[in-house]
Amino acid sequence: MWLYLHHTASDLIDLDPATGRWRPVDDAEKPPGASVLADLPVKGAYTIENDKRYYSYWTSDERFVFRTDDGAVFEICQKRGDGSVVMLSPVLRSEIAPSRYGDGRLRQGFSQFRLMDAATGQVVFELDYNAERYQRLYQADFTAAAAEQDLSDWDFFIALQGAIEIFEERAASGRVAFSVQVDGSAQVQGHRMRRDELLFADTGQTCPSSGVWACLTDLRVSAAVTQGEPMPSNGGQPVQWVWSRPD
């Protein structure tokens, strides 16, 4: 499975989840015409701390896992066929706190990432890592993309913590968010849509095609809209919609 180095969005590797072995992905292996990460069959990300690699990725049966350099695998959640999420047992939560030396003094520039059993509070994994390095990279980015990024785009562990929180919310609320598969297809309200069939429109935009449209942030919400009409809001908030089926 292909993974990218989190803070660069590049440096692809091919990880064998059965053995933990990996190899660099050569440019010649990438599909012709692929210009951005979304064009590639990438299943997750990795980072390197103290010459050790840590991974987060989706398995073939739609389980989201965190994997350590020594091969320990922590299953976080699983995506159902309808796109909803269920947390896997034992339910794991994450925490990031300032790193400290054994005598209690703060370890300047370092943070500690922990995974804990939500039921017992037992720490099942912890790692002290150089968080200041990612902060510097984030602050030094003056590219156009920087306006749409935050620290989680650089810090692998902040991104992992944020993902776990999102999955917890989705599992608790039943919310079904739009997501795209490796081949570019997506499941929309029970229908498998090919990449070239997906049609999107924003609130206020003129509807490009009559039918039932689903809200990207929660596919359970839908609206029947006629071509030429303005796309609606959801609960008074502007949203993006994806075409689901004829009315």
Side-chain angles (χ1 to χ4, degrees):
M1 84 178 38
W2 287 14
L3 308 175
Y4 71 96
L5 182 59
H6 187 79
H7 72 273
T8 67
S10 60
D11 294 335
L12 296 180
I13 64 171
D14 188 5
L15 173 73
D16 182 346
T19 65
R21 295 186 183 129
W22 62 272
R23 64 173 183 82
V25 174
D26 189 85
D27 284 345
E29 299 178 69
K30 298 176 183 178
S35 58
V36 295
L37 198 62
D39 293 333
L40 301 171
V42 173
K43 299 289 283 184
Y46 72 98
T47 194
I48 304 171
E49 291 293 330
N50 298 322
D51 296 323
K52 294 185 176 181
R53 292 174 182 251
Y54 300 92
Y55 315 88
S56 63
Y57 55 83
W58 291 95
T59 65
S60 58
D61 61 351
E62 296 294 346
R63 293 172 185 253
F64 183 74
V65 306
F66 168 65
R67 182 188 184 104
T68 69
D69 188 76
D70 61 7
V73 175
F74 301 94
E75 296 186 336
I76 307 298
C77 66
Q78 186 170 26
K79 191 186 300 180
R80 296 181 174 130
D82 63 356
S84 61
V85 169
V86 58
M87 302 302 288
L88 297 175
S89 183
V91 174
L92 298 176
R93 290 196 176 138
S94 62
E95 176 183 90
I96 296 178
S99 176
R100 295 181 181 273
Y101 292 104
D103 61 6
R105 289 180 298 119
L106 283 174
R107 191 179 177 193
Q108 190 65 36
F110 281 73
S111 293
Q112 184 177 79
F113 173 79
R114 292 180 176 179
L115 274 182
M116 299 166 292
D117 185 322
T120 66
Q122 178 185 1
V123 176
V124 298
F125 173 82
E126 64 181 20
L127 172 72
D128 293 279
Y129 72 98
N130 188 350
E132 187 178 40
R133 175 166 65 104
Y134 301 114
Q135 182 73 45
R136 289 197 307 267
L137 290 168
Y138 169 56
Q139 292 175 336
D141 184 6
F142 298 104
T143 64
E148 300 180 5
Q149 295 177 339
D150 57 34
L151 189 55
S152 66
D153 292 291
W154 299 88
D155 190 319
F156 172 91
F157 296 102
I158 288 181
L160 179 57
Q161 181 188 46
I164 293 173
E165 290 173 352
I166 289 172
F167 295 143
E168 282 187 306
E169 184 277 327
R170 289 183 186 173
S173 67
R175 184 167 63 92
V176 179
F178 177 83
S179 63
V180 178
Q181 304 302 312
V182 172
D183 62 1
S185 67
Q187 188 84 5
V188 182
Q189 295 187 326
H191 306 282
R192 176 64 66 186
M193 311 281 283
R194 298 192 314 270
R195 182 174 184 171
D196 60 348
E197 293 177 318
L198 293 171
L199 181 62
F200 302 95
D202 296 324
T203 294
Q205 180 182 339
T206 299
C207 176
S209 180
S210 298
V212 176
W213 291 74
C215 178
L216 257 65
T217 54
D218 190 349
L219 296 178
R220 298 174 303 172
V221 176
S222 61
V225 190
T226 301
Q227 184 175 1
E229 293 180 347
M231 296 299 297
S233 61
N234 179 30
Q237 298 297 315
V239 294
Q240 190 173 30
W241 300 86
V242 59
W243 191 88
S244 173
R245 62 188 186 279
D247 190 0

